[in-house]
Amino acid sequence: MSVAPFELGNVSVAPGRRAIVEMPAAQLYTQTPLNIPVHVVHGREPGPVLLVCAAIHGDELNGVEIIRRLLRLTALKKLRGTLIAVPVVNVFGFIHKSRYLPDRRDLNRCFPGSETGSLGARMAWLFKTQILDRATHAIDLHTGAVYRSNLPQIRANLASPDTAAMANAFGVPVVLNSVLRDGTLREVAEAQNIPVITYEAGEALRFEEACIRVGVRGITNVMRHLNMLAERRLPHAPVTPAVAGSSTWVRAERDGVFRSLVTLGQRIKKDQLLGRISSPFTSDEIEVRAPCAGLLVGRDNLPLVNEGEALFHIARFEEVKEVAQQVEAFTADILEAPPSTEGDGPIAP
């Protein structure tokens, strides 16, 4: 079956070729054009159109490196279908090392957007109509916020069978059955019957090698699930994720200096001591204890906290001990694997 060129913006990408499409986003105060670079890798054989995007929050950097490594994989030479890769969606935030747009809006609360609305609405509309609408499947890459780390995890609406299959194929031990929030990329994609999963791992403004390796491996796992890539010659042992039915945030009950006593991926028991908050000037301190059993999937890294701030994120599972053991083994496997397992080198343009 012959494959037609893939059209994006004003660029036509022939089968077996790749291109970078510069999508005009806006202008700086100096009237300097600001573009969103979009990588298109168009296979010689028909298949799905997978969108992989990062930095919708401009300070979430792990996904930028994940996509850089993804685009260097030699396996893409035999790609079936089309890969659309957007390393930086929120170019304004990326430039300023900020989660937000210049008007302090969160781009991931602006979808589907509008041609005549705020800056966030216009950028969301551009991304949706010019990029997302071309996709059949999507993977959105995120990290925790500034000073907050997330255990590598997938968040997805598991009510959708196709989305659930992608979440399972990604191959991380922890999946959170996450509701769709208004204005997010996930919400608008699912409304258009585009299966989409969110990969959350690490902390903003940081590169974390384990999180990056997990991300690259997970995306290629999904591409193999979609029959976009051939199976590995030396396959990894499959990971069967545990699905968290719910999760709980533990918040600070007072202001002060926070000391955490637990680590990401650790099994948590009900009423376990998680940390302490003390006064920097007196001996007063309070204990922070777990309201439920589960697995620690998110943690605040900043010692200075205000009352009400989120300190810990605990995911609940039926078999917490087994999930914690699987997370520990999975992490060790990722860290011990040599970098060459993620690809054999760059792919020619």
Side-chain angles (χ1 to χ4, degrees):
M1 180 185 297
S2 62
V3 176
F6 189 84
E7 310 288 339
L8 189 69
N10 58 356
V11 177
S12 178
V13 186
R17 306 294 293 176
R18 59 166 54 195
I20 299 177
V21 183
E22 297 285 349
M23 287 287 184
Q27 290 186 334
L28 300 175
Y29 299 124
T30 58
Q31 296 189 338
T32 302
L34 200 60
N35 298 330
I36 301 174
V38 181
H39 295 255
V40 177
V41 184
H42 191 33
R44 296 181 185 276
E45 299 182 44
V49 179
L50 175 65
L51 167 64
V52 181
C53 61
I56 283 183
H57 297 135
D59 59 357
E60 297 183 0
L61 304 183
N62 276 335
V64 179
E65 176 64 8
I66 288 170
I67 291 178
R68 188 191 71 82
R69 296 189 192 184
L70 176 68
L71 290 168
R72 289 174 58 84
L73 295 181
T74 54
L76 295 183
K77 291 180 179 179
K78 297 181 179 180
L79 177 71
R80 290 184 286 267
T82 305
L83 172 65
I84 304 175
V86 188
V88 180
V89 179
N90 181 359
V91 286
F92 280 104
F94 186 74
I95 289 170
H96 295 290
K97 308 182 185 72
S98 170
R99 177 183 180 90
Y100 302 106
L101 292 164
D103 59 1
R104 298 297 296 170
R105 281 183 169 84
D106 183 335
L107 181 55
N108 206 30
R109 297 295 182 271
C110 294
F111 288 95
S114 160
E115 286 186 279
T116 58
S118 66
L119 174 61
R122 293 173 189 231
M123 289 187 67
W125 179 257
L126 169 72
F127 190 82
K128 176 195 174 298
T129 58
Q130 298 298 311
I131 301 172
L132 178 64
D133 287 355
R134 302 300 316 279
T136 60
H137 302 75
I139 301 175
D140 189 17
L141 306 177
H142 286 263
T143 74
V146 174
Y147 308 128
R148 188 175 299 157
S149 292
N150 283 333
L151 182 77
Q153 61 195 259
I154 288 293
R155 298 183 185 178
N157 172 29
L158 301 183
S160 164
D162 290 339
T163 300
M166 287 176 61
N168 185 70
F170 195 92
V172 290
V174 174
V175 172
L176 272 63
N177 190 9
S178 179
V179 298
L180 298 172
R181 300 186 64 175
D182 291 346
T184 62
L185 177 68
R186 279 207 306 133
E187 183 205 34
V188 71
E190 291 278 1
Q192 296 178 202
N193 295 316
I194 300 173
V196 57
I197 59 175
T198 296
Y199 173 59
E200 289 269 1
E203 180 184 357
L205 295 175
R206 299 284 184 272
F207 273 174
E208 293 165 89
E209 183 62 26
C211 298
I212 293 166
R213 291 190 183 191
V214 171
V216 176
R217 180 186 291 187
I219 294 169
T220 56
N221 285 342
V222 171
M223 294 177 76
R224 289 182 170 90
H225 161 72
L226 297 174
N227 200 32
M228 298 179 71
L229 296 178
E231 291 299 321
R232 289 187 177 91
R233 286 171 291 181
L234 298 174
H236 297 292
V239 175
T240 302
V243 177
S246 62
S247 64
T248 299
W249 285 97
V250 182
R251 298 186 179 275
E253 295 298 325
R254 61 165 287 180
D255 313 291
V257 178
F258 164 61
R259 304 189 308 282
S260 175
L261 303 176
V262 289
T263 59
L264 285 178
Q266 184 173 332
R267 177 189 177 190
I268 303 298
K269 298 180 180 179
K270 191 176 189 306
D271 296 323
Q272 179 178 338
L273 180 63
L274 303 178
R276 293 185 172 91
I277 302 175
S278 60
S279 166
F281 307 112
T282 70
S283 60
D284 294 342
E285 72 174 20
I286 64 169
E287 296 181 339
V288 181
R289 292 191 173 271
C292 62
L295 191 80
L296 192 68
V297 297
R299 192 190 75 170
D300 180 39
N301 297 325
L302 188 66
L304 309 178
V305 299
N306 294 111
E307 182 179 347
E309 282 191 30
L311 303 179
F312 302 102
H313 191 195
I314 301 174
R316 302 182 185 185
F317 301 89
E318 291 185 3
E319 302 293 340
V320 179
K321 181 179 179 181
E322 288 76 3
V323 178
Q325 290 172 343
Q326 188 172 7
V327 167
E328 183 178 359
F330 178 81
T331 303
D333 175 62
I334 288 293
L335 291 175
E336 290 171 3
S340 60
T341 61
E342 308 300 357
D344 301 320
I347 181 173

